[in-house]
Amino acid sequence: NRGEIATRVCRAIHELGATAIAIYSREDEYAKHRFAADEAFLLNPEGSEMTPVGAYLDIPTIIRAAKATGAQAIHPGYGFLSENAEFARECEKNGIVFVG
């Protein structure tokens, strides 16, 4: 369950005294992790044809979200992008720490 993992990551970030930023798809608008974070970034706004899975795999949008919110690091959770070398390279290329 991606929401449970993201909620735990948010809690750990808060324990470190840092700001937690979540990403979410339109279909996860009321997911617990969105409210556990200090900020939340919608990946597929109304009118977007992107599916929920597609939203969570959209590397350019996730990088754009990180830069727009001033994120210094990304924890990809499990599955989706956690084992994606291209995503890790894009994080590094954009000065964002890949926590994975």
Side-chain angles (χ1 to χ4, degrees):
N1 176 328
R2 69 182 171 268
E4 180 58 31
I5 293 162
T7 300
R8 291 177 186 192
V9 171
C10 287
R11 184 178 64 224
I13 291 168
H14 289 141
E15 288 175 4
L16 294 170
T19 300
I21 304 163
I23 57 171
Y24 68 100
S25 71
R26 187 174 56 249
E27 294 76 8
D28 289 335
E29 180 178 5
Y30 299 107
K32 185 177 177 182
H33 77 280
R34 179 179 171 213
F35 299 100
D38 300 295
E39 294 180 52
F41 188 94
L42 176 60
L43 296 171
N44 59 343
E46 193 67 42
S48 169
E49 295 182 19
M50 195 173 304
T51 66
V53 171
Y56 291 113
L57 294 173
D58 185 0
I59 294 171
T61 299
I62 293 169
I63 295 294
R64 196 167 39 256
K67 292 172 88 173
T69 58
Q72 298 174 340
I74 293 177
H75 187 296
Y78 296 101
F80 288 104
L81 297 174
S82 66
E83 297 178 14
N84 185 312
E86 177 190 348
F87 182 55
R89 282 191 295 275
E90 284 300 311
C91 287
E92 183 178 16
K93 187 169 94 177
N94 285 277
I96 301 165
V97 175
F98 178 84
V99 181

mmCIF file of all heavy atoms in Angstrom, residues 4 13 28 38 41 55-56 60 67 70 83 90 93 98:
data_model
loop_
_atom_site.group_PDB
_atom_site.id
_atom_site.type_symbol
_atom_site.label_atom_id
_atom_site.label_comp_id
_atom_site.label_asym_id
_atom_site.label_seq_id
_atom_site.Cartn_x
_atom_site.Cartn_y
_atom_site.Cartn_z
ATOM 1 N N GLU A 4 0.462 3.855 2.889
ATOM 2 C CA GLU A 4 1.016 3.517 4.202
ATOM 3 C C GLU A 4 2.518 3.779 4.239
ATOM 4 O O GLU A 4 3.038 4.337 5.194
ATOM 5 C CB GLU A 4 0.720 2.059 4.549
ATOM 6 C CG GLU A 4 1.264 1.643 5.891
ATOM 7 C CD GLU A 4 0.753 2.470 7.070
ATOM 8 O OE1 GLU A 4 -0.389 2.954 7.026
ATOM 9 O OE2 GLU A 4 1.518 2.643 8.037
ATOM 10 N N ILE A 13 10.451 11.816 8.308
ATOM 11 C CA ILE A 13 10.953 13.140 7.914
ATOM 12 C C ILE A 13 10.654 14.156 9.009
ATOM 13 O O ILE A 13 11.511 14.974 9.367
ATOM 14 C CB ILE A 13 10.350 13.555 6.560
ATOM 15 C CG1 ILE A 13 10.921 12.680 5.446
ATOM 16 C CG2 ILE A 13 10.590 15.031 6.272
ATOM 17 C CD1 ILE A 13 10.185 12.801 4.130
ATOM 18 N N ASP A 28 -6.193 9.708 -5.741
ATOM 19 C CA ASP A 28 -5.751 9.565 -4.345
ATOM 20 C C ASP A 28 -5.927 10.862 -3.562
ATOM 21 O O ASP A 28 -5.255 11.087 -2.556
ATOM 22 C CB ASP A 28 -4.279 9.139 -4.295
ATOM 23 C CG ASP A 28 -4.079 7.703 -4.736
ATOM 24 O OD1 ASP A 28 -5.024 6.894 -4.628
ATOM 25 O OD2 ASP A 28 -2.968 7.380 -5.188
ATOM 26 N N ASP A 38 3.489 17.934 4.828
ATOM 27 C CA ASP A 38 3.311 19.374 5.022
ATOM 28 C C ASP A 38 2.784 20.039 3.749
ATOM 29 O O ASP A 38 2.081 21.044 3.817
ATOM 30 C CB ASP A 38 4.648 20.009 5.422
ATOM 31 C CG ASP A 38 5.170 19.414 6.715
ATOM 32 O OD1 ASP A 38 4.519 19.595 7.751
ATOM 33 O OD2 ASP A 38 6.220 18.739 6.664
ATOM 34 N N PHE A 41 1.611 17.657 -3.808
ATOM 35 C CA PHE A 41 1.654 18.083 -5.202
ATOM 36 C C PHE A 41 0.834 17.121 -6.047
ATOM 37 O O PHE A 41 1.129 15.931 -6.099
ATOM 38 C CB PHE A 41 3.107 18.113 -5.685
ATOM 39 C CG PHE A 41 3.289 18.715 -7.039
ATOM 40 C CD1 PHE A 41 3.609 20.055 -7.173
ATOM 41 C CD2 PHE A 41 3.153 17.948 -8.184
ATOM 42 C CE1 PHE A 41 3.793 20.621 -8.433
ATOM 43 C CE2 PHE A 41 3.327 18.494 -9.442
ATOM 44 C CZ PHE A 41 3.645 19.846 -9.562
ATOM 45 N N ALA A 55 0.662 8.497 -13.534
ATOM 46 C CA ALA A 55 1.071 9.687 -12.788
ATOM 47 C C ALA A 55 2.264 9.381 -11.888
ATOM 48 O O ALA A 55 3.220 10.153 -11.818
ATOM 49 C CB ALA A 55 -0.097 10.221 -11.960
ATOM 50 N N TYR A 56 2.216 8.241 -11.207
ATOM 51 C CA TYR A 56 3.298 7.881 -10.292
ATOM 52 C C TYR A 56 4.558 7.408 -11.016
ATOM 53 O O TYR A 56 5.608 7.250 -10.381
ATOM 54 C CB TYR A 56 2.833 6.829 -9.291
ATOM 55 C CG TYR A 56 1.829 7.372 -8.291
ATOM 56 C CD1 TYR A 56 0.516 6.936 -8.282
ATOM 57 C CD2 TYR A 56 2.203 8.335 -7.360
ATOM 58 C CE1 TYR A 56 -0.399 7.432 -7.372
ATOM 59 C CE2 TYR A 56 1.302 8.844 -6.451
ATOM 60 C CZ TYR A 56 0.001 8.385 -6.455
ATOM 61 O OH TYR A 56 -0.910 8.881 -5.552
ATOM 62 N N PRO A 60 9.392 13.113 -15.462
ATOM 63 C CA PRO A 60 9.523 14.570 -15.622
ATOM 64 C C PRO A 60 8.596 15.369 -14.689
ATOM 65 O O PRO A 60 9.011 16.381 -14.120
ATOM 66 C CB PRO A 60 9.162 14.815 -17.086
ATOM 67 C CG PRO A 60 9.453 13.523 -17.769
ATOM 68 C CD PRO A 60 9.117 12.461 -16.758
ATOM 69 N N LYS A 67 11.308 20.147 -7.785
ATOM 70 C CA LYS A 67 11.952 21.451 -7.965
ATOM 71 C C LYS A 67 11.009 22.590 -7.582
ATOM 72 O O LYS A 67 11.427 23.560 -6.949
ATOM 73 C CB LYS A 67 12.438 21.587 -9.402
ATOM 74 C CG LYS A 67 13.591 20.614 -9.711
ATOM 75 C CD LYS A 67 13.960 20.596 -11.151
ATOM 76 C CE LYS A 67 14.996 21.661 -11.402
ATOM 77 N NZ LYS A 67 15.533 21.601 -12.776
ATOM 78 N N GLY A 70 10.888 22.837 -3.846
ATOM 79 C CA GLY A 70 12.171 23.000 -3.169
ATOM 80 C C GLY A 70 12.656 21.747 -2.466
ATOM 81 O O GLY A 70 13.504 21.820 -1.575
ATOM 82 N N GLU A 83 13.210 1.193 -7.964
ATOM 83 C CA GLU A 83 14.320 0.439 -8.571
ATOM 84 C C GLU A 83 14.576 0.888 -10.002
ATOM 85 O O GLU A 83 15.143 0.142 -10.798
ATOM 86 C CB GLU A 83 14.017 -1.051 -8.510
ATOM 87 C CG GLU A 83 13.901 -1.555 -7.083
ATOM 88 C CD GLU A 83 13.562 -3.026 -7.006
ATOM 89 O OE1 GLU A 83 13.669 -3.725 -8.040
ATOM 90 O OE2 GLU A 83 13.206 -3.479 -5.920
ATOM 91 N N GLU A 90 17.980 10.897 -13.100
ATOM 92 C CA GLU A 90 17.300 12.194 -13.267
ATOM 93 C C GLU A 90 17.328 12.996 -11.969
ATOM 94 O O GLU A 90 17.501 14.213 -11.992
ATOM 95 C CB GLU A 90 15.856 11.997 -13.746
ATOM 96 C CG GLU A 90 15.748 11.645 -15.199
ATOM 97 C CD GLU A 90 16.338 12.708 -16.124
ATOM 98 O OE1 GLU A 90 16.020 13.898 -15.973
ATOM 99 O OE2 GLU A 90 17.130 12.338 -17.008
ATOM 100 N N LYS A 93 20.888 14.311 -11.720
ATOM 101 C CA LYS A 93 21.090 15.345 -12.732
ATOM 102 C C LYS A 93 20.453 16.680 -12.320
ATOM 103 O O LYS A 93 20.950 17.738 -12.667
ATOM 104 C CB LYS A 93 20.495 14.872 -14.061
ATOM 105 C CG LYS A 93 20.790 15.770 -15.238
ATOM 106 C CD LYS A 93 20.409 15.095 -16.537
ATOM 107 C CE LYS A 93 19.007 15.506 -16.925
ATOM 108 N NZ LYS A 93 18.588 14.948 -18.213
ATOM 109 N N PHE A 98 18.451 10.981 -4.271
ATOM 110 C CA PHE A 98 17.569 9.825 -4.419
ATOM 111 C C PHE A 98 17.764 8.953 -3.187
ATOM 112 O O PHE A 98 18.856 8.426 -2.973
ATOM 113 C CB PHE A 98 17.908 9.054 -5.699
ATOM 114 C CG PHE A 98 17.090 7.820 -5.908
ATOM 115 C CD1 PHE A 98 15.839 7.900 -6.498
ATOM 116 C CD2 PHE A 98 17.584 6.584 -5.560
ATOM 117 C CE1 PHE A 98 15.082 6.749 -6.715
ATOM 118 C CE2 PHE A 98 16.837 5.423 -5.768
ATOM 119 C CZ PHE A 98 15.584 5.510 -6.350
#
